[in-house]
């Protein structure tokens, strides 16, 4: 059974940093890309950052120059370094893995206080 296990969320003051981790347990034949999404209260889920197996990245505009996504292909892991956090970054953050099937983690709460 495939599981994506996230960690690293928590409560931080504005301007602070957090690092999210997501590790895939179980076997996925081929992961083409991994990413981080978030859902803020009352809003739809949105893409935060995505990285392909070749290392190409894309970010939503609001996190560019503040967040960095990276991955370890050997460990089937993806990370999100979040710096200069803002209250509007408060959300549940989900990682996903794209193969022919899309897998999702359970989510980790990030709360940024002003």
């Amino acid at each position: 059974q495939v599981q994506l296990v996230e960690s690293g969320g928590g409560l931080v003051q504005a301007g602070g940093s957090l690092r999210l981790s997501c590790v895939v347990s179980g076997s996925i034949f081929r992961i083409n890309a991994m990413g981080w999404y978030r859902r803020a209260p009352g809003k739809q889920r949105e893409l935060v950052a995505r990285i392909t197996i070749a290392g190409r990245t894309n970010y939503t505009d609001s996190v560019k120059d503040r967040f960095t996504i990276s991955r370890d292909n050997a460990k089937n892991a993806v990370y999100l370094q979040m710096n200069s956090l803002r209250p509007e970054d408060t959300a549940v953050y989900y990682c996903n893995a794209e193969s022919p099937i899309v897998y999702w983690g359970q989510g980790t709460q990030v709360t940024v206080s002003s």
Side-chain angles (χ1 to χ4, degrees):
Q1 182 178 356
V2 174
Q3 285 187 311
L4 276 63
V5 181
E6 298 131 333
S7 60
L11 173 64
V12 65
Q13 287 188 330
S17 299
L18 286 173
R19 185 174 187 254
L20 305 183
S21 300
C22 174
V23 179
V24 178
S25 66
S27 178
I28 299 178
F29 173 63
R30 177 186 171 92
I31 298 176
N32 297 315
M34 297 187 75
W36 289 95
Y37 290 71
R38 66 186 179 188
R39 178 177 282 144
K43 296 186 177 180
Q44 291 188 330
R45 185 173 60 193
E46 64 170 349
L47 172 68
V48 177
R50 180 177 179 271
I51 184 168
T52 69
I53 192 170
R56 288 193 299 270
T57 60
N58 62 289
Y59 299 86
T60 192
D61 286 345
S62 64
V63 308
K64 286 179 180 177
D65 301 322
R66 298 190 299 123
F67 291 9
T68 302
I69 189 170
S70 60
R71 65 182 286 180
D72 185 331
N73 291 334
K75 295 181 179 179
N76 279 346
V78 65
Y79 310 96
L80 187 67
Q81 178 66 43
M82 305 186 294
N83 299 327
S84 301
L85 282 160
R86 304 168 180 169
E88 54 264 39
D89 295 318
T90 295
V92 178
Y93 285 70
Y94 301 88
C95 75
N96 84 344
E98 301 171 23
S99 67
I101 300 172
V102 179
Y103 299 89
W104 291 92
Q106 79 287 352
T108 185
Q109 176 70 46
V110 171
T111 302
V112 184
S113 63
S114 57

